[in-house]
Amino acid sequence: MNLQPSPPPQPRQPSMEILGVPVVAMGWQEALDILGGYLRNRFFMPVGFLNAHNANVACADREFARALDSFLVLPDGVGVDIAAKWLHGRPFPANLNGTDFVPALIASISSPLKVALLGATQENAGGAAEQLSALAPQHEYRVIHDGYFTKEQEPDIIADIADYRPDILLVAMGVPRQELWIERNLTSIHCTMPIAVGALLDFLSGRVPRAPLWVRRLRLEWLYRLWIEPGRLWRRYVVGNPLFLARVLAQKFGGYRAGTERVRDA
C-alpha cells in the first residue's frame, strides 16, 4: 500500500480505565475489524498493550503513561481482567494479547500489505519474518534492523522506515522503550500502524518457547514464563503482580490517583 497522510482523528473506541490508562473493551472479531479498517483507510494508529507489568511501569514512569495516551491500548492477560472486574464490574470482552492477536490480525487481512519488523536480535527478527510469511504469504515482510542500534544509527533507521513506508511496523524493544520510541519518532509519513509487540518476535522465531496450549487456556502463561526465565522475570511477576493488584484496590477505594507516583519500578 502507498500510505498517505492520516485523515482527521476518529472517535476513541469504548474503553475501561485501568490505573489511569484507557484500555479498549471489544471482542476479538470486533478488534480485527476495527484495526483492519485503520489499515485499509491508511489511518495512522499506534497500537500497544496493557498487562500488569506495563501498568506498573506506567504508574512509575509518567513519560511512558503520557505516551500511551496516543496509542490504541489493548487488554493483555488475566491481571487486567481481574482489574476490570474489580473496577468496572466486568472483565474485558476478549484477551487481545499481542502474541496471539498480532499474527491473527496480519493473517485476517487478504489484501497485500508491507509488514516491517524492528527489534529483537537479527536472528530472531528474521525467524519471525519467516514464520509470518508462512502464516500469511499474501504480505511482504522486511526486517528493518535489530533492537540493538545506537543513537547514531537511529536517523538512518527512521529514514529506512519512511522510505519503505510499511502498513504494519512491529516494534520489539521491550517496555517502555518501544512505546517511547514509537511516540517520539513515528508519524503517518513512516507507517500506518506501529505496534509495540514486546517479545513477539522471540516467540514467533521459536527461540523462546511459549507455554503449552492448556496452560494458556488456564491463563497461566505468566507462570510458565517465570518458570522458564526466573532470573529475569521473578521481580516482574513475584513482586509486580501483587503490586499491581494493590494499586488496583487503591484505585477502587479512592486511595490511588493516576499520575501521582514518582518512584520508578525496577
Side-chain angles (χ1 to χ4, degrees):
M1 289 186 182
N2 293 319
L3 304 182
Q4 303 296 328
S6 298
Q10 297 180 4
R12 285 190 176 273
Q13 304 301 326
S15 64
M16 293 191 278
E17 184 182 298
I18 307 295
L19 299 183
V21 180
V23 183
V24 296
M26 61 179 71
W28 184 274
Q29 188 58 51
E30 183 183 9
L32 290 177
D33 293 342
I34 288 172
L35 270 67
Y38 289 141
L39 288 164
R40 286 190 298 274
N41 294 319
R42 302 181 179 91
F43 183 88
F44 180 72
M45 178 57 69
V47 175
F49 301 87
L50 193 79
N51 53 35
H53 173 63
N54 296 9
N56 281 334
V57 176
C59 287
D61 187 329
R62 298 182 70 178
E63 185 180 7
F64 174 57
R66 283 193 295 267
L68 289 179
D69 287 341
S70 64
F71 281 68
L72 185 75
V73 181
L74 305 181
D76 175 2
V78 67
V80 292
D81 251 1
I82 294 171
K85 290 178 186 177
W86 288 359
L87 297 172
H88 303 284
R90 65 190 189 281
F92 286 97
N95 175 24
L96 302 175
N97 71 88
T99 311
D100 295 314
F101 181 77
V102 172
L105 172 66
I106 292 170
S108 73
I109 299 170
S110 58
S111 58
L113 301 177
K114 292 193 291 187
V115 180
L117 297 83
L118 172 65
T121 65
Q122 191 73 21
E123 184 179 25
N124 287 9
E130 291 176 5
Q131 291 300 312
L132 288 171
S133 182
L135 174 69
Q138 67 271 32
H139 306 315
E140 176 182 299
Y141 301 90
R142 179 182 295 183
V143 175
I144 299 292
H145 203 280
D146 61 46
Y148 300 94
F149 52 85
T150 66
K151 193 70 175 177
E152 291 71 27
Q153 293 173 300
E154 191 170 83
D156 288 339
I157 291 170
I158 295 169
D160 286 347
I161 295 169
D163 182 63
Y164 185 50
R165 302 182 78 185
D167 300 290
I168 295 175
L169 174 64
L170 305 180
V171 182
M173 301 178 186
V175 176
R177 181 187 173 208
Q178 59 194 8
E179 290 85 1
L180 293 173
W181 196 88
I182 289 170
E183 196 272 336
R184 292 167 181 166
N185 296 295
L186 301 181
T187 69
S188 60
I189 70 170
H190 300 96
C191 61
T192 298
M193 184 174 290
I195 308 179
V197 296
L200 173 63
L201 306 188
D202 299 324
F203 289 131
L204 283 174
S205 71
R207 292 176 176 86
V208 175
R210 285 200 73 187
L213 183 59
W214 67 269
V215 175
R216 284 181 261 159
R217 285 176 173 167
L218 290 173
R219 308 195 71 177
L220 292 174
E221 188 164 13
W222 67 270
L223 194 58
Y224 179 84
R225 292 192 67 192
L226 177 61
W227 177 63
I228 292 292
E229 298 183 89
R232 187 173 74 87
L233 297 177
W234 74 270
R235 186 172 180 84
R236 176 183 300 189
Y237 294 126
V238 176
V239 176
N241 286 355
L243 177 61
F244 169 72
L245 296 177
R247 283 169 165 154
V248 171
L249 285 174
Q251 179 178 340
K252 179 177 177 64
F253 294 110
Y256 172 85
R257 290 184 298 163
T260 61
E261 297 190 40
R262 298 182 182 274
V263 178
R264 180 183 297 270
D265 291 331

